[in-house]
Amino acid sequence: MKLLTHNLLSSHVRGVGTRGFPLRLQATEVRINPVEFNPDFVARMIPKVEWAALVQAADTLNLAEVPKEPTEGYEHDETFLRKMHHVLLEVDVLEGTLQCPESGRLFPISRGIPNMLLNDEETET
Amino acid sequence: MGSRRMRMLESALAMVEYTSGKVFFTASSDLASMKKLKSAERLFLLIKKQLPIAVPSLSRGKILNEIQRLVNDDPGSWLKAILLWKELLECDAKREKVSQRDTNPLKRKVGENEIIIAKKLKVEEIQMVEESHREGQRDRQPKYYLEQGDAITKTEELQEQGSQNDLVKAADTENLEDLTFRVSCRCSGNIGKAFTTQEVGRVVGTALMKKFGWRADLRNPHLEIFMHLSDAYSVVGIPLFRVPLASRTYIQTAGLRSTIAWAMASIAEIKAGALVLDPMCGLGTILVEAAEEWPDVYYMGADVSDSQLLGACDNLKAAGLVDKINLLQVSVTELPLPSQSVDVIISDIPFGKKFKLGKDIKSILQEMGRVLRVGGAMVLLLSEDHHRHLRDCGGSSILLTSRDNITDPEVKMLLSPDKKTGPSDTASPSHKASSSRCPSTVLPCGWLVPLECFKVSLGKTDAFICKYKKAHASGLSPAGGLEPGPQPETATLQESPGLQDSS
């Protein structure tokens, strides 16, 4: 699971609403995958990023050099874009858990795939 | 669909003609580029195409005679095609072994041969050879044709075992006389009523044996010959790939057939930097096709099933797309994504009794509509039943209700129902009207407006590719104004004629 994916996921346990974001990340196995750097693509992802959530997740994974916010004129700042590229796309959580901040429900991540299936009681009608 | 959206990579496409389920064209490309054709099923090297046999006006004997003439009248065209076929395969084999930087080894190879021969001649003569070589190039442009859909009969399917390597080995036969062949015939229209494919096959096979001295081999021939006799044409060709083009090299296990998957992706308006979701991705076929063609995109695939996701993982690994496609184990009715977070949704809605009509479809569409951003496109593959159900009840556009009590503060552009995105209209807010139509606990968060609908053949069944766009709720009033228009016409694309060739 890439950090860009984590940045989009929120818990949908019944009654949680918007308080299900961001999910608390805990990783037992992480892999760094080299991914081809595409500055245009990264620049387009930046506006979609929820920064607080990203920084928090990066912290739990002890990643260094994570920008806390977009710099002015980031579209042309290669250093910045390369750092974001690394954080968003090259860090892959293979095993771990995601926790709903409101309900405490744990969702497992295995083989890089987060499992967020809810059982019937947990889903909203 | 295929003929309109056919793309040729690195080749000069000339003389395109499409007739009754086949697309005929000339090109000077190599096999590698041909393999990249996305929306067609099978590719053939054309031996012969001519006017149909005028079955009603001829006796049985005369018709068989006409069939024989396809072989006997112009043996040169057969030999030319077969030599070309051998060259194509040899070039492709060489290309596989050595990394080629040149995009058209075929042209180069032919040129080289001629020049080598010319070395024995004097300078002036060499120039003449080069001259005629260049002229000959134009005539020598191979002619091909593509076929769509289910032209495959049971026997043809069985024949499709074996790997691409077999075809290459076949091309190694030094002597054309040692060639073994197998003829597959398809007869439709009037001729199909008069003869069985076996009868026609026998006639053609015998004629070939007599004319060229080749042996028939039904199990593992060097050369496959496909013949299609219909009311529109008589076409003979050599299949260029043992496995249909629709069977992608980059997909391990296909779920949905790749041509349909590619077609869906191509009408979804995928742009660079988009977030694309397939919320019922199964083996990931649609996402793989999309990612191959539009790589600068963040793809997400979701499914509930462990086994499907494992299969999808395999497919991603085989295609080298693990970096581009991100998998989630979630339910489409409970997507753990924020509202309006996804730019494009593409999905194959499961057919069959397993998926109940009514409640399930509605809740799926609600959830998908929720995560789709306003202005985003959604392309679905629907069974006939689902399509009819959606069309009949609930009217044309689908009102999306939201579980979160969130209203979008802006009044955004409303997409006009006649398929064009017009300029921004500041719609007159009529919140009162819209909220009074809804249950008190929820507020509307948008509309899914149907834009286009294409009927496609999946072989035994038909299905519909339906495209929707998400429009904003405010400004919509049931009493005229900006109400989405009537259901758009369902278009039937110029597609395969299906199992019955009614041309």
Side-chain angles (χ1 to χ4, degrees), chain B residues 374 410-418 420-429 472-476 481-483:
Chain B
V374 171
E410 310 159 11
V411 175
K412 280 182 137 184
M413 162 178 75
L414 185 71
L415 295 149
S416 82
D418 43 346
K420 287 201 196 112
T421 11
S424 267
D425 273 314
T426 27
S428 52
H472 197 268
S474 341
L476 268 181
L482 300 153
E483 170 104 358

Side-chain angles (χ1 to χ4, degrees), chain A residues 2 4-5 8-10 12 18 33-35 38 41 44-45 48 89 111-118 123-124, chain B residues 272-275 296-298 300 304 309-310 313 322-323 326-331 334 336-338 343 403:
Chain A
K2 295 198 167 80
L4 182 49
T5 301
L8 291 165
L9 292 175
S10 72
H12 45 293
T18 50
N33 292 320
V35 172
N38 182 338
F41 176 73
R44 284 181 213 270
M45 292 295 121
K48 302 186 210 257
L89 305 173
R111 273 191 275 245
I113 301 178
N115 180 340
M116 299 192 67
L117 292 171
L118 297 171
T123 59
E124 312 191 55
Chain B
L275 269 172
D296 300 325
V297 169
Y298 199 74
M300 289 186 292
V304 294
L309 285 169
L310 278 173
C313 275
V322 176
D323 291 332
N326 301 273
L327 298 175
L328 307 167
Q329 192 163 15
V330 299
S331 165
E334 305 281 339
L337 296 166
D343 298 305
R403 280 167 300 174

Side-chain angles (χ1 to χ4, degrees), chain B residues 185-261:
Chain B
C185 288
R186 189 152 57 99
C187 300
S188 45
N190 287 323
I191 202 165
K193 296 181 191 134
F195 293 96
T196 63
T197 52
Q198 289 92 325
E199 287 174 300
V200 177
R202 240 179 291 132
V203 167
V204 177
T206 317
L208 286 171
M209 286 196 279
K210 284 204 180 124
K211 196 77 191 179
F212 301 109
W214 302 329
R215 261 186 322 112
D217 182 346
L218 290 176
R219 281 193 194 287
N220 205 9
H222 293 131
L223 177 66
E224 288 260 25
I225 294 170
F226 274 65
M227 182 176 286
H228 185 189
L229 303 175
S230 75
D231 292 337
Y233 41 54
S234 300
V235 174
V236 192
I238 305 172
L240 287 178
F241 303 106
R242 182 72 63 151
V243 173
L245 283 173
S247 172
R248 309 294 197 218
T249 51
Y250 44 80
I251 290 195
Q252 193 108 304
T253 320
L256 180 64
R257 79 177 47 188
S258 305
T259 46
I260 303 279

Side-chain angles (χ1 to χ4, degrees), chain B residues 451-462:
Chain B
L451 290 188
E452 293 181 295
C453 207
F454 300 102
K455 188 171 185 180
V456 295
S457 166
L458 297 182
K460 297 199 182 80
T461 52
D462 284 340

Side-chain angles (χ1 to χ4, degrees), chain B residues 54-266:
Chain B
V55 172
S57 57
L58 298 171
S59 67
R60 258 183 92 85
K62 277 249 150 55
I63 296 172
L64 289 173
N65 214 320
E66 286 294 307
I67 297 173
Q68 282 168 333
R69 285 181 62 189
L70 285 170
V71 175
N72 295 325
D73 270 2
D74 182 17
S77 64
W78 285 80
L79 289 171
K80 200 172 87 163
I82 287 160
L83 282 171
L84 198 52
W85 164 75
K86 282 189 61 146
E87 271 185 41
L88 280 173
L89 291 178
E90 279 160 12
C91 285
D92 196 54
K94 290 212 179 85
R95 189 195 58 84
E96 303 260 329
K97 289 183 200 145
V98 178
S99 71
Q100 293 271 25
R101 260 163 284 151
D102 196 329
T103 56
N104 205 338
L106 177 62
K107 255 197 188 134
R108 201 163 49 90
K109 180 182 194 262
V110 169
E112 273 172 8
N113 281 341
E114 305 232 344
I115 303 301
I116 289 167
I117 297 165
K119 273 195 180 128
K120 298 186 187 143
L121 312 169
K122 294 187 212 134
V123 175
E124 305 88 45
E125 289 173 302
I126 290 172
Q127 283 168 350
M128 268 169 52
V129 168
E130 285 181 344
E131 192 56 51
S132 69
H133 163 69
R134 251 170 283 140
E135 277 175 17
Q137 275 296 303
R138 260 172 285 123
D139 301 329
R140 236 189 300 206
Q141 275 217 331
K143 297 188 178 59
Y144 303 91
Y145 65 96
L146 289 169
E147 220 170 47
Q148 279 287 33
D150 298 285
I152 308 178
T153 61
K154 200 123 202 198
T155 28
E156 290 171 31
E157 260 192 61
L158 290 170
Q159 287 160 11
E160 246 135 48
Q161 280 134 40
S163 67
Q164 181 61 26
N165 289 330
D166 292 350
L167 270 181
V168 174
K169 273 188 237 142
D172 273 347
T173 46
E174 282 304 311
N175 218 336
L176 266 192
E177 277 137 36
D178 287 342
L179 216 53
T180 58
F181 72 93
R182 173 172 63 198
V183 177
S184 304
C185 288
R186 189 152 57 99
C187 300
S188 45
N190 287 323
I191 202 165
K193 296 181 191 134
F195 293 96
T196 63
T197 52
Q198 289 92 325
E199 287 174 300
V200 177
R202 240 179 291 132
V203 167
V204 177
T206 317
L208 286 171
M209 286 196 279
K210 284 204 180 124
K211 196 77 191 179
F212 301 109
W214 302 329
R215 261 186 322 112
D217 182 346
L218 290 176
R219 281 193 194 287
N220 205 9
H222 293 131
L223 177 66
E224 288 260 25
I225 294 170
F226 274 65
M227 182 176 286
H228 185 189
L229 303 175
S230 75
D231 292 337
Y233 41 54
S234 300
V235 174
V236 192
I238 305 172
L240 287 178
F241 303 106
R242 182 72 63 151
V243 173
L245 283 173
S247 172
R248 309 294 197 218
T249 51
Y250 44 80
I251 290 195
Q252 193 108 304
T253 320
L256 180 64
R257 79 177 47 188
S258 305
T259 46
I260 303 279
W262 182 87
M264 290 174 72
S266 67

